[in-house]
Amino acid sequence: MPSNIKGKFEELSRKAKKRFIHGLLGPAAVSKARRWVQIFKSALDECARNLNVKSVVLSKEFKSFIEDPEADLEKKLFIYFYDLLRNRISLEEYEEKGRAAITTSLMTNLRTIYQNWVLSTLWSILAEEYGAEVTYPEHKCIHLERLGKQKLGEINPNLVMHISGKGSLSFFLEAPRPVGWEDTSDLMKAWKLYTALRPDIMVHGGMVLNLIDLNQNPPIKPPDVIIECKELVDWYMRSRDVKGPLAKPLTVEEWRSKWIKGLYEGLADILGVSPSKAAEKVSEQKGLRLREDRVVVLYKSFYKPKRMYLIARAKTPSIVKRHLENEGIVVIDGIGFNKQALKGLAEELVEMAKPTSKIEELSIRLLDEARRRGIKL
């Protein structure tokens, strides 16, 4: 294809995708995404400066959205757009599949933005107000993602901070996650990590370098604090399927069968042939469909943290707020992107910090006793 024709085709293709996105979402939604991205970038830069870290690593998908939200959404139409041009799908199918892909991508990325804004802002406050310093990772490169981090059979923290005179705090973002396994016995041990409920943020007092504890059920060390973030105005009206402990463990053979079946059917679709039966379908047990406010309560009863907080960007109806507070969950709502509104939570996190050694514990006690007696050191 001559370069001028190819260039014209790519230009028209992008225009078509852009018009589809704007027609589906409206210009206001795209502008909102760009505004949220700028707010998050600013908070992340401030966090990196306050913590004196070298870099902050984002997942590939999220980084693409942060760099250019509209261009990232266009990528979600790539396969469907070419299927439409090849008459593999109808215009109606293109609209249906494209709508689902764009809507899901936008909602997922906005949710990630708000969750990461909350976490990075808390880190900034802890550094500014309490002199918190990064002790893990030692290379001072913070990862706000978990891709491939569990291959060695451990779940490491995203960040450990030390606060002088108080101790350390270990932060885990979207954990627990599955760990590496080799055979059926390994998979059976790790299975509960596949089905474990996954809050947004877990915080442990002290230096916790591996979240996994197979002697526990669920197989993780109990968190001292859970923080759940809600970016939607009507989050409490949303529902989702929760499988959790109801999901039946798979053997390695069943796992491999499902993987091969998916791989073969995907290849068959590309080649335009009819797929044969690649493997016997593994039946999966159904989960429970719960409203989001019920899921939040489930997190608390499942993990039994000492404290649990729900951070809501918008105001939460009093009846929902009262229900959560009756369950022992502290609701901090209507905060938007207001950094000041998180200072109270940061102060309470400081109180959850724990010393990492007996010597540090003794020195903290001596300092506290000196302050109580009015002795300045």
Side-chain angles (χ1 to χ4, degrees):
M1 182 185 294
S3 59
N4 62 327
I5 296 177
K6 182 181 179 182
K8 190 65 176 178
F9 172 77
E10 290 176 350
E11 179 189 346
L12 292 174
S13 297
R14 183 159 191 189
K15 282 184 178 179
K17 294 172 191 174
K18 188 172 292 189
R19 287 187 179 181
F20 180 85
I21 292 169
H22 279 262
L24 173 64
L25 302 175
V30 177
S31 296
K32 172 186 173 182
R34 292 190 183 282
R35 188 170 65 254
W36 282 34
V37 164
Q38 291 307 313
I39 292 171
F40 172 64
K41 280 183 174 180
S42 177
L44 199 59
D45 289 343
E46 181 182 41
C47 177
R49 287 195 305 271
N50 289 335
L51 296 180
N52 194 29
V53 297
K54 295 178 180 177
S55 63
V56 180
V57 180
L58 308 175
S59 70
K60 183 179 178 181
E61 284 284 324
F62 186 49
K63 183 181 178 182
S64 174
F65 185 82
I66 292 299
E67 288 174 347
D68 188 336
E70 195 168 0
D72 181 70
L73 293 176
E74 288 175 20
K75 294 176 186 177
K76 304 300 180 287
L77 297 173
F78 178 81
I79 294 176
Y80 305 130
F81 186 75
Y82 279 94
D83 280 348
L84 176 64
L85 294 180
R86 293 186 299 157
N87 289 322
R88 295 293 308 279
I89 61 175
S90 66
L91 182 59
E92 290 74 19
E93 289 175 312
Y94 171 73
E95 290 177 347
E96 181 183 350
K97 293 175 182 290
R99 182 185 301 109
I102 294 299
T103 303
T104 300
S105 178
L106 180 64
M107 291 185 67
T108 300
N109 281 299
L110 291 182
R111 170 165 174 70
T112 304
I113 282 177
Y114 197 68
Q115 173 182 286
N116 286 347
W117 174 82
V118 169
L119 185 55
S120 58
T121 301
L122 282 171
W123 288 345
S124 277
I125 296 170
L126 290 170
E128 288 175 347
E129 305 284 336
Y130 303 96
E133 297 180 339
V134 177
T135 54
Y136 178 92
E138 295 89 348
H139 50 58
K140 306 293 184 182
C141 295
I142 299 175
H143 288 255
L144 281 175
E145 47 91 29
R146 289 209 163 272
L147 182 62
K149 296 294 183 295
Q150 288 78 238
K151 288 182 179 178
L152 298 179
E154 294 185 354
I155 299 179
N156 306 124
N158 295 82
L159 186 75
V160 178
M161 309 180 87
H162 182 263
I163 304 167
S164 180
K166 293 292 184 180
S168 296
L169 291 168
S170 302
F171 293 83
F172 294 84
L173 178 65
E174 291 191 336
R177 293 272 179 168
V179 296
W181 48 268
E182 295 181 359
D183 56 17
T184 296
S185 62
D186 282 348
L187 178 55
M188 298 296 265
K189 291 177 183 177
W191 182 256
K192 289 181 180 179
L193 294 171
Y194 279 92
T195 58
L197 301 170
R198 190 175 299 149
D200 291 339
I201 302 165
M202 288 185 175
V203 187
H204 288 68
M207 180 176 280
V208 178
L209 296 182
N210 183 14
L211 189 63
I212 295 176
D213 183 352
L214 294 177
N215 295 320
Q216 298 281 342
N217 187 18
I220 67 167
K221 295 172 182 175
D224 291 312
V225 178
I226 287 178
I227 303 171
E228 191 70 8
C229 309
K230 301 299 179 186
E231 82 288 358
L232 296 174
V233 173
D234 60 347
W235 68 268
Y236 49 88
M237 297 177 66
R238 306 291 176 123
S239 299
R240 62 169 138 152
D241 293 321
V242 179
K243 288 189 177 181
L246 300 176
K248 184 188 74 171
L250 298 176
T251 64
V252 167
E253 292 71 27
E254 288 173 326
W255 185 285
R256 182 173 178 272
S257 173
K258 288 174 72 66
W259 182 81
I260 290 175
K261 181 174 184 292
L263 181 67
Y264 185 83
E265 289 185 345
L267 180 61
D269 179 62
I270 293 171
L271 297 176
V273 299
S274 299
S276 60
K277 291 184 179 180
E280 184 179 349
K281 186 176 180 180
V282 179
S283 60
E284 297 182 10
Q285 294 178 329
K286 294 182 179 179
L288 297 173
R289 188 157 188 82
L290 298 176
R291 256 195 2 239
E292 282 290 339
D293 58 322
R294 301 292 192 270
V295 175
V296 173
V297 174
L298 183 60
Y299 286 162
K300 187 173 188 299
S301 61
F302 196 66
Y303 288 111
K304 297 178 174 58
K306 294 176 181 175
R307 298 180 190 174
M308 181 163 180
Y309 302 88
L310 184 136
I311 309 299
R313 185 179 64 87
K315 292 293 291 184
T316 301
S318 57
I319 189 171
V320 177
K321 189 173 182 177
R322 191 160 53 247
H323 164 67
L324 294 173
E325 290 173 341
N326 288 340
E327 296 290 340
I329 298 166
V330 178
V331 178
I332 307 173
D333 62 335
I335 73 168
F337 288 94
N338 180 9
K339 178 180 177 181
Q340 302 302 314
L342 292 178
K343 286 194 171 183
L345 172 54
E347 183 179 356
E348 294 187 29
L349 286 179
V350 170
E351 297 306 313
M352 303 302 292
K354 295 177 183 176
T356 57
S357 66
K358 289 291 184 182
I359 294 176
E360 184 182 10
E361 182 180 358
L362 179 59
S363 65
I364 289 173
R365 286 181 181 176
L366 290 173
L367 285 172
D368 287 342
E369 180 64 19
R371 291 192 193 99
R372 192 178 68 80
R373 293 173 178 265
I375 301 173
K376 294 183 178 181
L377 299 176

